[in-house]
């Protein structure tokens, strides 16, 4: 009987012989047998049946291999003809034909075409219905091979197979007496669910039917008549089916019960057959952070047969650590590779180190860490304590089994391991198919937590990582844990490690912090105990994921220190994948919540600390002056003298990474070194690239330490950019960009770095001179690698403005010329990066007054604004906004030459382009309206007087008004309000008399009273307080509308349903009060009656907020303009003086009422002791004055 296909996978053909015939010769045997079979005609005679039997046997025994010259269509034709020859009443022939179908399709990897599939499916379904039950196993195997990757073509047969009384539903039912038939039926269902990319998925009703069948199979216990291996294969097929539904079928687990049931059964199955464990699970896991009870009766401690068969003396012997020497490059591929001989856990719950080629905990100076699980939700207790579990491979000298029994036990353990791997793979697919916020509801069911003192241990993914004897299963568990941790930063950010645990309950934040600490502890324990290099790599990657997402700024110190100290020896591990992942972990440490004081201290450790390892394959860390001994360039001697002395202790990690990148390796590559090319004298590319990434992380997060090595890193960058491999060049350019950005941050006006701690400008100039004289220009011109060009553009845009102005003029011209030239690139990445770089350069003080450069940049940006790529247009719009900022800066200088020389025609083009861009997507629109506001502010009277500008000005203002009012992204509306304020600053525009005046004010007043976003309200209130003359506010009615809108906005300044907006309430009230006082300081006689009416209604409220405004000290409002208390009360005094100077008609009491209002405010402000009395009597006094 042909071997059964397991879990939907097509087994490979027979083992290849040493000498193979050519494919054409090999296919000849099949063709001869096929021709003989196809020559036969249906005949019910005994001789015909015998001949058919013989031909089937010969076809099955024929030696096949890939590329054997057998065409898929020939196989399909042969099988169809064979079905026509075999009547359904011939059970033996049907059985043999089924074996042939299964064997040929699997061995030759044939997917049957739709036409022949239709016939073959009809035949096999009829065969199951009509033939004896003993043939069902073989027929189902044939059916599984037929439907493999053909599920979408079986639609017409799905009712017969998966309907209420469908064949597969009956044969896979728990009532099915033959366990092999049941397994084969589940296998068929799993293959039906397997979809091919580009083909239709299984219809949703049938997906649900299959999912429920698989779930029922997984939930059902092993029947007494089913052997262990068949049960394992049954579970594997069900798991594979669910995985296919989740992966290819895109099935969504939207119902809590369905997801909970699946997770419960996956948790149970992922521990299937694990020695010493016998867990029981509830039918459904529910999402909850609280402990979940499963209501199990207490279970008596059990002893496995293997543990009772061993004398106690052998247990003690096995508990010793055995070191197994593995030759370099030799890795066993069987499941036994890397298996652990795990000592029993003692009563204290501590684990002795496993055997392996890694250092034991004592050699690392790390104390033995206790193994613990968790008492949190969904973690079900272990039925027999770990202290009675024996995690050892059975050797012939210690076992009472015979050789045959021992071989069977080994086979069963192998199948059980595959079940656990299948469950973990299915869990991984489940994680990818649900939202993370849903997944984290089940966090405590799969992630360990620190147990209470004396509480029983519970099982989690870390149990598999620490206990499973199969290295592949351990790696699978780590992959699942990594997937859970990936993107968990927001969820874990609530963690808070507090010392006060004496509470009636454990807060959620403390529980998460405890879980994070337990993950660190368990993963570090797994790290020192692991013997398989592949699994070791997964442990380190999982640690890197944990480090990247953990909120160390809210946790107690020492977690990162423990990780740091234990990972350092693995930087010199013989396996390059372990070394690469070790650097990835170090990169995660230096990039998480940088800069952290704990990490800063770790970086300053002596460079030799913890790096010794006899299995080293990494170059030794060189002494600090190795650069001087190497041919490294004439500038390094000066760099050593000029660099600021931030720390006398060199950073060993920077030194190590530099060594990995530039120094030749000392040892030959090991057999497992991925990326090791023949003849290469340097470390493998993955290792060098990871080292460059770590350097970039250090430059971003710990620049104060990195700057000591600035010139040395410059040499590294030049070397990388000069290499042939584009990926090395790209990482070199990224490092250059990070260093440039770090230098810019040091020289920002708000920088906290003391001037004597900054890198001197002369040294920065030297650094960039070396870059521009080196391979950077070649990288910018490397059109074969546009990604490198774009990255080089980004690097060039990170030059310090003060350094650029001190570069030689030919180097400045080189930068500008190359950027302007690259703006014509056909590649969108390059064009976007160039547009952004030009937007940076146009702000440089030494370039912004150069009319020719600004004009050339404007033309380049306007061209990019027409690009088809949204990314290019977004970058160009940002640069256009920067360019118009430069126009405003130049307008404010005493020298008017720039405004006079700048082309009016170019201004017109810029206005038109900005108007068009304001109709684009939000990414473009937000900067387009910023540019419009600046351009309208920049326009000179000479421009406005020209008829060709009148229409474009109107159009531009209408574009701003519509953007203020539309329901766009809040950033867009904020920029539009900001731009409107800029427009109001141009006194040459006919503000107050033009038709668009009322439209502009109406838009702003609408936003200030009703916009959901308070920052937009603040900006609109700021824009309303910009006009400096009363006539700019238009008519009396227009003024009254603005005044009333601001009072209403002040009244509604706390009306919001969004909790996040409350923090802006004070800033909003400050800005509205400032606008109201500004309006009072400009009011005319005809405006006073309107003001008086408002104060009569809302005077108390307005007065209280203005007093708060006066008393709010030096609070900086959203407009960025700080006001001292003196400035604020001076604003009120100015308004009071202005009102008192307004000439009113006799008998008009409005003036006196408003003056009294302002005087009361000043009285309360300057006399705090009488503030309450003044506030209570305010309304009465106002009415008395009236």
């Amino acid at each position: 009987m042909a071997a059964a296909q397991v879990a939907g996978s097509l087994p490979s053909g027979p083992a290849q012989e040493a000498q193979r015939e050519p494919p054409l010769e090999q296919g000849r045997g099949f063709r001869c047998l096929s021709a003989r079979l196809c020559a036969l005609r249906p005949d019910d005679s005994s001789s015909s049946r015998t001949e058919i039997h013989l031909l089937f046997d010969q076809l099955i025994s024929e030696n096949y291999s890939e590329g054997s010259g057998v065409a898929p269509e020939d196989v399909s034709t042969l099988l169809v003809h064979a079905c026509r020859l075999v009547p359904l009443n011939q059970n033996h022939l049907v059985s043999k034909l089924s074996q042939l179908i299964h064997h040929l399709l699997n061995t030759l990897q044939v997917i049957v075409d739709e036409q022949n599939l239709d016939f073959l499916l009809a035949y096999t379904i009829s065969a199951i219905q009509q033939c004896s039950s003993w043939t069902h196993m073989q027929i189902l195997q044939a059916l599984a091979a037929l439907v493999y990757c053909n599920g979408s073509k079986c639609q017409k047969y799905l009712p017969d197979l998966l309907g209420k009384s469908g064949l597969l539903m009956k044969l896979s039912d728990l009532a099915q007496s033959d366990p092999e038939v049941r397994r084969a039926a589940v296998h068929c269902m799993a293959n039906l669910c397997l979809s091919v990319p580009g083909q239709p998925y299984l219809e949703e009703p049938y997906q649900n039917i299959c999912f429920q069948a698989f779930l029922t199979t997984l939930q059902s216990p092993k029947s007494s008549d089913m052997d262990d291996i068949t049960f394992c294969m049954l579970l594997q097929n069900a798991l594979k089916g669910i995985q296919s539904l989740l992966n290819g079928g895109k099935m969504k687990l939207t119902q809590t019960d369905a997801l909970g049931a699946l997770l419960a059964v996956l948790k149970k199955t992922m521990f299937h057959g694990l020695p010493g464990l016998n867990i029981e699970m509830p039918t459904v896991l529910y999402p909850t952070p609280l402990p979940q009870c499963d209501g199990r009766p207490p279970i008596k401690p059990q002893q496995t047969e293997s543990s009772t068969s061993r004398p106690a003396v052998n247990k003690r012997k096995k508990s010793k650590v055995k070191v197994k020497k593995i030759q370099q490059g030799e890795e066993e591929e069987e499941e036994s590779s890397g298996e652990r001989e795990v000592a029993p856990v003692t009563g204290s719950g501590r684990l002795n180190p496993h055997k392996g080629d890694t250092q034991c905990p004592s050699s690392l100076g790390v104390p033995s860490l206790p193994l613990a699980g968790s008492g949190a939700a969904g973690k079900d207790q272990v039925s027999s304590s770990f202290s009675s579990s024996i995690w050892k491979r059975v050797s012939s000298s210690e076992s009472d089994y015979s050789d045959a029994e021992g071989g069977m036990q080994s086979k069963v353990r192998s199948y059980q391991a595959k079940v656990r791997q299948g469950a973990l793979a299915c869990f991984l697919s489940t994680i990818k198919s649900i939202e993370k916020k849903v997944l984290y509801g089940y966090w405590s069911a799969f992630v360990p937590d620190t147990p209470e003192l004396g509480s029983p241990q519970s099982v989690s993914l870390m149990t598999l990582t620490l206990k499973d004897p199969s290295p592949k299963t351990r790696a699978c568990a780590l992959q699942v844990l990594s997937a859970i941790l990936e993107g968990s930063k927001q969820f874990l950010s609530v963690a808070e490690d507090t010392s006060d645990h004496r509470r009636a309950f454990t807060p959620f934040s403390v529980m998460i912090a405890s879980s994070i600490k337990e993950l660190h502890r368990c993963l570090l324990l797994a790290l020192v105990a692991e013997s398989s290099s592949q699994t070791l790599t997964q442990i380190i990657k999982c640690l890197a994921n944990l480090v990247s997402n953990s909120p160390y700024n809210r946790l107690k110190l020492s977690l990162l220190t423990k990780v740091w100290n234990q990972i350092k020896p693995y930087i010199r591990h013989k396996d390059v994948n372990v070394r690469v992942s070790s650097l990835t972990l170090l990169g995660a440490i230096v990039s998480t919540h940088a800069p952290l004081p704990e990490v800063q201290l770790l970086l300053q450790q002596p460079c030799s600390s913890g790096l010794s390892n006899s299995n080293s394959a990494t170059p030794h860390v060189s002494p600090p002056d190795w650069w001087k001994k190497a041919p490294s360039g004439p500038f390094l001697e000066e760099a050593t003298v000029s660099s600021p002395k931030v720390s006398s202790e060199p950073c060993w990690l920077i030194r190590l990474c530099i060594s990995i990148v530039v120094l030749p390796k000392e040892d030959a590559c090991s057999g497992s070194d991925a990326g090791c090319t023949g003849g290469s004298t340097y470390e493998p590319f993955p290792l060098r690239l990871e080292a460059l990434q770590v350097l970039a992380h250090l430059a971003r997060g710990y620049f104060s330490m990195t700057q000591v090595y600035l010139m040395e890193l410059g040499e590294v960058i030049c070397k990388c950019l000069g290499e042939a491999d584009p990926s090395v060049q790209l990482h070199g350019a990224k490092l250059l960009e990070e260093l440039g950005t770090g230098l810019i941050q040091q020289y920002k006006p708000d920088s906290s770095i003391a001037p004597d701690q900054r890198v001197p400008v002369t040294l920065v100039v030297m650094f960039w001179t070396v870059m521009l004289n080196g391979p950077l220009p070649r990288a910018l011109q490397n059109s074969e690698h546009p990604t490198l060009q774009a990255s080089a553009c980004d690097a060039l845009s990170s030059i310090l403005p003060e350094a650029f102005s001190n570069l030689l003029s030919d180097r400045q011209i080189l930068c500008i010329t190359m950027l302007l030239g690259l703006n014509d690139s056909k590649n969108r990445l390059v064009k976007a990066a160039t547009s952004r770089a030009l937007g940076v350069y146009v702000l440089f003080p030494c370039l912004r007054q150069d009319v020719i450069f600004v004009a050339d940049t404007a033309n380049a940006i306007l061209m990019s604004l027409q690009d088809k790529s949204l990314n290019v247009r977004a970058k160009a719009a940002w640069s256009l906004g920067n360019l118009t900022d430069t126009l405003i800066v130049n307008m404010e200088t005493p020298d008017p030459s720039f405004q006079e020389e700048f082309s009016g025609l170019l201004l017109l083009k810029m206005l038109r382009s900005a108007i068009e861009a304001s109709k684009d997507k939000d990414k473009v629109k937000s900067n387009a309206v910023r540019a419009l506001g600046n351009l309208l502010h920049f326009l000179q009277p000479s421009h406005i007087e020209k008829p060709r500008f009148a229409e474009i000005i109107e159009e531009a203002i209408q574009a701003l008004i519509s953007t203020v009012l539309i329901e766009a992204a809040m950033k867009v509306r904020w920029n539009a309000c900001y731009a409107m304020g800029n427009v109001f600053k141009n006194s040459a525009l006919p503000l107050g008399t033009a038709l668009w005046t009322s439209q502009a004010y109406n838009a702003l007043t609408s936003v200030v009273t009703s916009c959901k976003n308070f920052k937009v309200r603040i900006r609109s209130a700021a824009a309303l307080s910009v006009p400096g003359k009363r006539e700019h506010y238009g008519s009396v009615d227009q003024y009254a509308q603005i005044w009333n809108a601001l009072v209403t906005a002040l009244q509604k300044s706390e009306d919001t349903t969004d909790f996040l907006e409350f923090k802006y309430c004070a800033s909003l009230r400050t800005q509205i009060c400032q606008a109201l006082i500004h309006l009072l300081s400009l009011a005319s006689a005809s405006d006073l009656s309107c003001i008086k009416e408002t104060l009569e209604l809302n005077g108390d409220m307005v007065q209280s907020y203005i007093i708060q405004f006066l008393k709010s000290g030096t609070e900086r409002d959203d407009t960025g303009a700080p006001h001292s208390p003196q400035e604020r009360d001076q604003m009120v005094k100015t308004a009071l003086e202005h009102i008192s100077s307004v000439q009113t008609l006799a008998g008009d009491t409005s003036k006196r009422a408003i003056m009294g209002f302002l005087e009361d405010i000043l009285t309360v402000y300057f006399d705090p002791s009488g503030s309450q009395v003044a506030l209570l009597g305010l309304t009465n006094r106002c009415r008395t004055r009236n």
Side-chain angles (χ1 to χ4, degrees), residues 57 126 176 243 302 318 338 394 442 516 537 645 686 938 958:
D57 283 335
S126 299
Q176 172 57 233
Q243 190 178 359
Q302 299 175 358
K318 276 290 181 180
V394 181
Y442 302 92
I516 291 172
T537 302
K645 295 183 179 179
F938 179 78
Q958 291 299 333

Side-chain angles (χ1 to χ4, degrees), residues 583-750:
L583 282 177
T584 303
L585 175 53
L586 288 172
I589 292 173
V590 299
S591 60
T592 184
H593 300 282
L596 286 173
E598 182 181 1
V599 175
Q600 199 139 5
L601 290 173
L602 292 170
L603 288 169
Q604 292 173 345
Q605 287 179 348
C607 59
S608 59
S609 173
L611 285 174
S612 58
N613 191 316
S614 58
N615 289 330
S616 170
T618 305
H620 294 294
V621 178
S622 304
D625 60 347
W626 67 271
W627 278 101
K628 298 177 187 176
K629 297 177 183 178
S632 55
F635 59 91
L636 290 178
E637 294 290 344
E638 186 176 349
T640 307
V641 177
S642 304
S643 296
K645 295 183 179 179
V646 175
S647 171
S648 58
E649 182 70 49
C651 177
W652 69 269
L653 184 55
I654 295 178
R655 185 71 63 193
L656 172 74
C657 291
I658 291 174
S659 302
I660 290 172
V661 173
V662 301
L663 288 186
K665 59 189 175 187
E666 293 184 353
D667 302 328
C669 289
S670 67
S672 60
D673 277 359
C676 180
T677 55
S680 173
T681 58
Y682 294 102
E683 289 293 330
F685 277 124
L687 192 64
R688 298 179 70 203
L689 297 182
E690 201 62 46
L692 284 168
Q693 286 196 30
V694 173
L695 288 173
H697 291 317
L698 285 164
R700 186 184 306 119
Y702 298 89
F703 188 78
S704 60
M705 303 189 73
T706 312
Q707 69 183 59
V708 180
Y709 302 85
L710 181 65
M711 301 309 292
E712 299 177 55
L713 291 172
E715 269 305 288
V716 173
I717 293 165
C718 286
K719 180 172 181 57
C720 291
L721 290 175
E723 290 196 20
D725 188 86
S727 57
V728 176
Q729 291 178 306
L730 181 63
H731 281 75
K734 292 287 186 186
L735 176 56
L736 176 57
E737 182 187 355
E738 292 295 347
L739 288 173
T741 304
L743 290 167
I744 291 173
Q745 295 295 329
Q746 279 197 341
Y747 279 86
K748 280 193 171 181
D750 57 351

Side-chain angles (χ1 to χ4, degrees), residues 8-223:
S9 61
L10 289 171
S12 59
Q16 295 186 358
E17 299 174 358
Q19 297 294 329
R20 285 288 191 190
E21 296 177 347
L24 186 62
E25 293 296 321
Q26 205 169 43
R28 184 174 297 172
F30 172 83
R31 284 192 291 275
C32 290
L33 293 169
S34 177
R36 287 172 56 191
L37 186 69
C38 290
L40 298 177
R41 292 293 173 264
D43 187 354
D44 200 26
S45 65
S46 175
S47 60
S48 175
R49 290 198 300 273
T50 303
E51 186 174 2
I52 293 172
H53 262 295
L54 180 62
L55 284 172
F56 284 176
D57 283 335
Q58 288 177 319
L59 282 166
I60 290 172
S61 62
E62 182 68 21
N63 195 11
Y64 302 105
S65 68
E66 290 185 17
S68 60
V70 179
E73 55 269 22
D74 293 341
V75 176
S76 300
T77 303
L78 167 73
L79 294 177
V80 168
H81 188 74
C83 289
R84 290 195 172 107
L85 293 176
V86 178
L88 295 176
N89 59 356
Q90 297 293 326
N91 287 331
H92 286 86
L93 268 179
V94 170
S95 175
K96 187 62 65 69
L97 173 59
S98 299
Q99 292 179 45
L100 177 65
I101 294 172
H102 174 259
H103 182 72
L104 287 181
L105 295 184
N106 282 357
T107 305
L108 296 174
Q109 303 284 294
V110 172
I111 306 296
V112 181
D113 61 278
E114 192 165 359
Q115 184 178 354
N116 289 319
L117 177 68
D118 191 60
F119 177 85
L120 292 170
L121 280 178
Y123 182 87
T124 51
I125 290 171
S126 299
I128 294 174
Q129 292 169 336
Q130 298 179 33
C131 293
S132 300
S133 59
W134 68 266
T135 65
H136 288 175
M137 173 65 185
Q138 287 76 27
I139 299 171
L140 286 171
Q141 286 181 344
L143 181 60
L146 286 168
V147 301
Y148 182 78
C149 290
N150 268 329
S152 61
K153 301 173 185 174
C154 304
Q155 297 296 332
K156 64 185 284 188
Y157 296 102
L158 290 180
D160 294 331
L161 295 172
L162 300 176
K164 262 189 177 178
S165 57
L167 292 175
L168 295 182
M169 301 306 296
K170 287 181 179 178
L171 296 176
S172 65
D173 191 75
L174 298 177
Q176 172 57 233
S177 57
D178 189 339
E180 284 288 350
V181 170
R182 182 183 168 204
R183 184 203 62 77
V186 173
H187 182 195
C188 286
M189 293 171 66
N191 280 8
L192 267 173
C193 296
L194 190 65
S195 63
V196 180
Q199 296 291 334
Y201 304 133
L202 199 64
E203 292 177 1
E204 189 174 350
Y206 292 115
Q207 283 189 356
N208 294 331
I209 289 171
C210 290
F211 177 79
Q212 199 55 50
F214 296 141
L215 201 60
T216 303
T217 301
L218 293 171
Q219 289 170 335
S220 306
K222 182 171 79 74
S223 58

Side-chain angles (χ1 to χ4, degrees), residues 1004-1122:
L1004 291 172
T1005 53
S1006 171
V1007 168
V1008 81
T1009 55
S1010 61
C1011 184
K1012 294 178 181 178
N1013 186 282
F1014 276 25
K1015 294 187 80 173
V1016 178
R1017 288 200 204 183
I1018 293 167
R1019 180 47 60 187
S1020 61
L1024 288 170
S1025 62
V1026 167
K1029 297 180 180 179
R1030 169 60 188 87
E1031 54 266 29
H1032 291 164
Y1033 284 101
S1035 66
V1036 174
D1037 290 340
Q1038 185 70 65
Y1039 180 96
Q1041 181 196 353
I1042 297 169
W1043 172 268
N1044 289 328
L1046 287 169
V1047 171
T1048 303
L1050 190 61
Q1051 196 170 13
K1052 296 167 62 177
S1053 59
E1054 291 185 0
D1055 295 350
T1056 178
T1057 56
D1058 189 349
F1059 177 75
L1060 296 175
E1061 297 298 326
F1062 277 110
K1063 61 183 177 182
Y1064 301 115
C1065 286
S1067 295
L1068 175 60
R1069 288 193 291 268
T1070 295
Q1071 191 58 59
I1072 293 173
C1073 288
Q1074 186 177 334
L1076 287 171
I1077 296 169
H1078 177 72
L1079 283 171
L1080 283 172
S1081 65
L1082 298 177
S1084 64
S1086 52
D1087 300 322
L1088 299 183
S1089 60
C1090 159
I1091 298 171
K1092 178 192 169 188
E1093 288 176 12
T1094 308
L1095 292 179
E1096 286 175 348
L1097 293 173
N1098 301 294
D1100 289 352
M1101 179 270 297
V1102 175
Q1103 187 197 43
S1104 64
Y1105 283 134
I1106 292 179
I1107 291 171
Q1108 284 182 24
F1109 164 69
L1110 293 174
K1111 291 181 175 180
S1112 56
T1114 57
E1115 176 188 341
R1116 181 182 291 269
D1117 59 38
D1118 185 70
T1119 61

Side-chain angles (χ1 to χ4, degrees), residues 730-777:
L730 181 63
H731 281 75
K734 292 287 186 186
L735 176 56
L736 176 57
E737 182 187 355
E738 292 295 347
L739 288 173
T741 304
L743 290 167
I744 291 173
Q745 295 295 329
Q746 279 197 341
Y747 279 86
K748 280 193 171 181
D750 57 351
S751 173
S752 59
I753 307 296
D756 61 334
Q757 295 296 310
R758 299 173 183 173
V759 179
V761 174
T762 53
L763 188 60
V764 182
V765 172
M766 189 189 312
F767 173 80
W768 279 105
T769 301
V770 172
M771 294 298 105
L772 294 170
N773 289 338
L776 180 59

